[in-house]
Amino acid sequence: QQQVKQSPQSLIVQKGGISIINCAYENTAFDYFPWYQQFPGKGPALLIAIRPDVSEKKEGRFTISFNKSAKQFSLHIMDSQPGDSATYFCAARRYSSASKIIFGSGTRLSIRP
Amino acid sequence: EPEVTQTPSHQVTQMGQEVILRCVPISNHLYFYWYRQILGQKVEFLVSFYNNEISEKSEIFDDQFSVERPDGSNFTLKIRSTKLEDSAMYFCASLSGTANTEAFFGQGTRLTVV
């Protein structure tokens, strides 16, 4: 019940296209859903996050869509650029308790020029 | 911008040896974490630390592991007798604990056990 399931494992998108990564969770106690971007040899860095009181959050080219009833959320990267090539992790945790972060398995995104 | 600092960036050690991985969390943060990432796999929680004690640990964090905050700035992870399967990237993270905060991760220490 602690798992966060992520797909696809890898994704190749043409420059300018839309990259979509999907995640699902089971534990309804989770109330904070961040996405992390990781470049090779670096630590995960927060990209964008959402709380379940909204269905969508947009920051620049990055949008999280959240479906509370289905317990699913997704990351959309609009106008994907070669610099977006990285591994993306969805995650979940209980926000108020500063609890551990449960990570998805990661998606390796490659943007073709 | 404040950041979490980890040293060393890469550590190679013989199987059975003790290693200490070091972290300097962001100065006003109250919650500290260690995570592990085996090559190509997901990031896994090891342990959380608050108010000078462990608040939660995973199944991975067995008796071979320990954490310490020896002074006001450092947060360390010790592996007493390393095994080959301990080879991984180890990430330290810290969180302030006030409202609307996020955990910040260090760059990681790559541990290679030979």
Side-chain angles (χ1 to χ4, degrees):
Chain A
Q1 210 186 15
Q2 286 288 319
Q3 281 190 349
V4 177
K5 295 181 180 178
Q6 182 172 349
S7 64
Q9 189 173 18
S10 63
L11 182 61
I12 299 173
V13 175
Q14 288 293 126
K15 179 182 174 183
I18 303 173
S19 303
I20 302 174
I21 304 170
N22 300 299
C23 285
Y25 65 99
E26 296 176 351
N27 189 345
T28 54
F30 292 146
D31 59 356
Y32 183 68
F33 303 91
W35 284 87
Y36 292 88
Q37 181 187 56
Q38 185 183 33
F39 293 105
K42 304 293 185 183
L46 178 68
L47 187 64
I48 186 173
I50 196 167
R51 302 287 307 276
D53 52 343
V54 296
S55 59
E56 186 174 283
K57 184 173 181 181
K58 184 175 181 178
E59 290 184 1
R61 296 185 293 109
F62 301 91
T63 300
I64 301 178
S65 298
F66 188 84
N67 185 330
K68 188 175 180 179
S69 61
K71 291 186 283 187
Q72 295 175 346
F73 57 111
S74 60
L75 176 69
H76 295 232
I77 306 174
M78 312 300 285
D79 187 26
S80 300
Q81 298 297 311
D84 297 332
S85 297
T87 298
Y88 291 82
F89 292 95
C90 62
R93 71 171 171 95
R94 288 178 291 129
Y95 187 70
S96 60
S97 63
S99 67
K100 65 189 178 192
I101 300 166
I102 305 297
F103 285 86
S105 53
T107 297
R108 183 171 293 182
L109 175 64
S110 296
I111 307 300
R112 285 198 173 146
Chain B
E1 184 175 312
E3 60 180 12
V4 176
T5 305
Q6 289 186 243
T7 55
S9 56
H10 190 191
Q11 172 102 39
V12 181
T13 188
Q14 295 274 344
M15 189 170 55
Q17 294 296 303
E18 175 184 287
V19 294
I20 297 176
L21 309 184
R22 303 180 191 280
C23 170
V24 179
I26 294 173
S27 63
N28 62 345
H29 284 192
L30 302 176
Y31 296 83
F32 313 110
Y33 309 83
W34 283 101
Y35 290 82
R36 179 181 84 174
Q37 185 180 31
I38 294 172
L39 186 63
Q41 297 186 24
K42 69 177 177 181
V43 181
E44 299 175 290
F45 168 76
L46 291 179
V47 65
S48 57
F49 192 85
Y50 171 71
N51 200 25
N52 285 320
E53 62 182 27
I54 291 173
S55 46
E56 188 175 2
K57 60 184 180 179
S58 72
E59 294 174 350
I60 303 167
F61 194 88
D62 61 22
D63 291 345
Q64 293 300 310
F65 292 87
S66 62
V67 289
E68 195 176 41
R69 190 157 158 81
D71 53 41
S73 60
N74 290 287
F75 178 51
T76 62
L77 174 69
K78 181 192 290 187
I79 309 175
R80 263 180 268 283
S81 177
T82 50
K83 303 188 277 284
L84 294 176
E85 54 264 38
D86 293 328
S87 296
M89 282 289 284
Y90 288 81
F91 294 106
C92 173
S94 70
L95 183 149
S96 73
T98 57
N100 301 320
T101 60
E102 177 53 51
F104 291 84
F105 285 79
Q107 302 273 59
T109 292
R110 179 175 297 282
L111 176 65
T112 302
V113 182
V114 297

